[in-house]
Amino acid sequence: MAASRPISDSTTPLTIETSMPFTAHIVDPPSRDVTTTPAELVTFFRDMSLMRRMEIAADSLYKAKLIRGFCHLYDGQEAVTVGMEAAITRKDSIITAYRDHCIYLSRGGDLVTAFAELMGRQSGCSRGKGGSMHFYKKDANFYGGHGIVGAQVPLGCGLAFAQKYRKEDSVSFSLYGDGAANQGQLFEALNISALWKLPAILVCENNHYGMGTAEWRAAKSPSYYKRGDYVPGLKVDGMDVLAVKQACKFAKEHAIANGPIVLEMDTYRYHGHSMSDPGSTYRTRDEISGVRQERDPIERVRKLIFAHDLATPAELKDIEKEIRKEVDTAIAKAKESPMPDTSELFTNVYVKGFGVESFGADRKELRATLP
């Protein structure tokens, strides 16, 4: 019997063509030939599978009422954050909307702090005060999840302004959905970014439904990569991790040299808009299963791994089993964390050292003096 060989961790370059050509607006598109390695492909498979498992577990925790409030899941869109991270460094900034759990992981966050935050626990990445929509990781330049539709884009352009002001060789990625693409503040921020040639990259994660509204019902022109008009744009297959990597590498080089660019990631979410949305009243189950069968980002990488003989089906199944255990262990550990102390209600609100006092409604009873 021949000895089985281990999963490939080779760093020998591989050149793979993207699933679809890039579509460009007033800029020459990058090459479809993407350089990767066996080790990177296996890492892509593991990272996206971990994110998928985390989101499925979050679904169960929400239904068990261990996660409360709003909860927006990212399953189906994993290639966007994984491909983006493969093309940039932690010196580059990322800011997004409320579908932020997986972006936190890709920026180096860990499962325990993610689940703790989802469950409102003290050891969460935002000390249990942000919940699903407000993950942050400042040491990795991840400036969060934001709940106000489109409001993160001007902030992201502000991050790009700071990068240019400090003469840093880095860029800012501002992620938003097709539902936010019609926001006036987005165009205002893009205008000033173009005037000042800021290293700002606007990324429209077009999953084709803004809440329950199909893009064609909300946008007269759903070609979001062209929406910048005087700003170059690129439409990308957001379900192809290698295409996302190539596009983000191209966009970073462009933004540093020339100013802003718009990327439209053609992607899809399997869950509804949020956990309160079954996701099947405005689209058919056949549509969802069709995308899963034909475009799923994890299955595409699985096929590439098999095509290049980098691992066996059994080896990838073992990875998925390890991920299940990893997620279950993280959930158990996160549950051990206590809820935040009531004193946390007064932290991160006012600047310390000014002797701010908190009174009751009648201003007679002193409730607390902030440090």
Side-chain angles (χ1 to χ4, degrees), residues 31 42 68 75 77 94 110 163 241 294 316 344 348 354:
S31 169
V42 173
R68 308 305 291 260
D75 49 321
Q77 300 183 206
I94 298 179
D110 65 89
Q163 289 164 330
V241 68
E294 296 172 18
L316 294 190
E344 283 287 336
N348 310 116
F354 288 88

Side-chain angles (χ1 to χ4, degrees), residues 274-334:
S274 69
M275 285 300 296
S276 61
D277 167 24
S280 56
T281 55
Y282 49 86
R283 57 184 184 175
T284 64
R285 295 192 184 277
D286 286 344
E287 178 185 309
I288 301 167
S289 62
V291 175
R292 279 186 182 273
Q293 289 168 17
E294 296 172 18
R295 299 184 64 210
D296 186 83
I298 298 173
E299 294 309 310
R300 281 179 165 181
V301 173
R302 191 193 303 269
K303 287 174 183 174
L304 282 174
I305 289 171
F306 293 160
H308 292 273
D309 194 28
L310 307 180
T312 65
E315 287 167 335
L316 294 190
K317 284 290 181 189
D318 286 343
I319 289 176
E320 290 170 319
K321 287 176 185 174
E322 287 170 17
I323 285 169
R324 280 175 177 264
K325 288 179 185 175
E326 195 176 331
V327 168
D328 290 345
T329 301
I331 291 169
K333 195 167 182 182

Side-chain angles (χ1 to χ4, degrees), residues 329-350:
T329 301
I331 291 169
K333 195 167 182 182
K335 285 178 178 177
E336 293 172 3
S337 178
M339 294 292 181
D341 188 77
T342 52
S343 63
E344 283 287 336
L345 285 168
F346 301 102
T347 61
N348 310 116
V349 179
Y350 298 105

Side-chain angles (χ1 to χ4, degrees), residues 84-95 103 106-107 137-143 156 159-160 163 168-174 199-201 248-249 251-253 255-256:
M84 182 184 300
E85 202 64 50
I88 63 176
T89 74
R90 297 280 162 80
K91 290 181 180 178
D92 298 306
S93 299
I94 298 179
I95 191 166
I103 299 168
S106 73
R107 289 264 92 180
K137 195 168 180 13
K138 189 180 177 183
D139 62 354
N141 286 308
F142 176 49
Y143 293 93
L159 292 169
Q163 289 164 330
E168 295 172 354
D169 196 26
S170 56
V171 298
S172 170
F173 288 83
S174 301
I201 300 169
C248 291
K249 180 176 179 287
K252 179 176 177 177
E253 291 169 357
I256 289 172

Side-chain angles (χ1 to χ4, degrees), residues 19-142:
S19 56
M20 294 178 64
F22 298 103
T23 310
H25 168 64
I26 63 170
V27 69
D28 292 329
S31 169
R32 289 182 65 184
D33 294 329
V34 187
T35 302
T36 184
T37 65
E40 184 177 62
L41 286 175
V42 173
T43 300
F44 285 164
F45 177 83
R46 192 185 193 286
D47 289 349
M48 290 194 290
S49 297
L50 183 68
M51 291 172 182
R52 179 74 56 88
R53 189 65 204 166
M54 177 182 76
E55 295 295 66
I56 290 169
D59 174 290
S60 299
L61 290 169
Y62 193 92
K63 288 170 180 171
K65 298 187 177 180
L66 289 166
I67 297 173
R68 308 305 291 260
F70 295 102
C71 185
H72 306 79
L73 303 180
Y74 202 71
D75 49 321
Q77 300 183 206
E78 300 93 347
V80 176
T81 187
V82 171
M84 182 184 300
E85 202 64 50
I88 63 176
T89 74
R90 297 280 162 80
K91 290 181 180 178
D92 298 306
S93 299
I94 298 179
I95 191 166
T96 189
Y98 34 73
R99 209 176 298 280
D100 58 355
H101 315 155
C102 294
I103 299 168
Y104 172 74
L105 276 195
S106 73
R107 289 264 92 180
D110 65 89
L111 285 171
V112 176
T113 54
F115 281 118
E117 190 58 42
L118 283 167
M119 293 188 281
R121 307 299 174 109
Q122 209 172 74
S123 62
C125 60
S126 299
R127 299 180 195 166
K129 299 197 295 182
S132 168
M133 298 199 294
H134 303 292
F135 279 39
Y136 296 90
K137 195 168 180 13
K138 189 180 177 183
D139 62 354
N141 286 308
F142 176 49

